[in-house]
Amino acid sequence: SAEITMCCGHTGNHRLQISEEEGIAEQIIEGLPPGRYKLYAWVITDNAEAYVRIDVEGEPSVHRSVSEESWQNVEIEFDVASEKKKVRISARMRGEGHAAFDDFYLAGDEYEAE
């Protein structure tokens, strides 16, 4: 299952926690202007492997995995060629433990976040 928990976020007191084998939480974004983007997220696991994955409609998926018991910064670059393309951002987990995700940030060509 995926839920927002009131505990132990990377910053603040909330985080997205997935604690089901093959668990997933996702968001679909439509209408992003064409360009290059970078997604930032923080991930921590306990007896699991976590993935942050980007699927741009019609393009191969891109993902980064984490299996550390301390917060790890994940950065994924991707391109959007047309405003008509859907972008799916997903947080995924594999294993018997749990994974937590926090501080997602999507930046355009200028990559403002650091």
Side-chain angles (χ1 to χ4, degrees):
S1 67
E3 63 182 341
I4 303 297
T5 61
M6 294 183 64
C7 170
C8 320
H10 176 255
T11 59
N13 294 319
H14 297 86
R15 66 186 188 177
L16 169 64
Q17 183 165 310
I18 300 176
S19 53
E20 179 179 301
E21 190 172 333
E22 302 294 328
I24 183 171
E26 62 186 15
Q27 180 173 359
I28 296 174
I29 302 171
E30 296 183 59
L32 282 177
R36 186 134 183 95
Y37 291 86
K38 187 181 274 191
L39 178 74
Y40 300 85
W42 287 86
V43 183
I44 189 171
T45 65
D46 180 14
N47 195 31
E49 187 169 15
Y51 298 86
V52 177
R53 179 172 157 170
I54 305 288
D55 292 285
V56 178
E57 186 176 28
E59 303 294 331
S61 66
V62 182
H63 74 275
R64 299 288 180 269
S65 63
V66 170
S67 53
E68 299 288 328
E69 292 185 11
S70 61
W71 286 104
Q72 301 295 309
N73 186 26
V74 172
E75 299 178 6
I76 304 174
E77 293 184 41
F78 64 98
D79 293 306
V80 175
S82 164
E83 288 184 17
K84 296 178 180 171
K85 298 214 175 199
K86 292 180 184 177
V87 176
R88 180 186 314 264
I89 298 172
S90 56
R92 299 166 179 252
M93 189 216 83
R94 252 195 327 224
E96 296 180 9
H98 67 268
F101 304 80
D102 200 9
D103 297 331
F104 283 84
Y105 181 84
L106 182 61
D109 289 319
E110 65 281 354
Y111 299 152
E112 296 171 357
E114 288 299 329

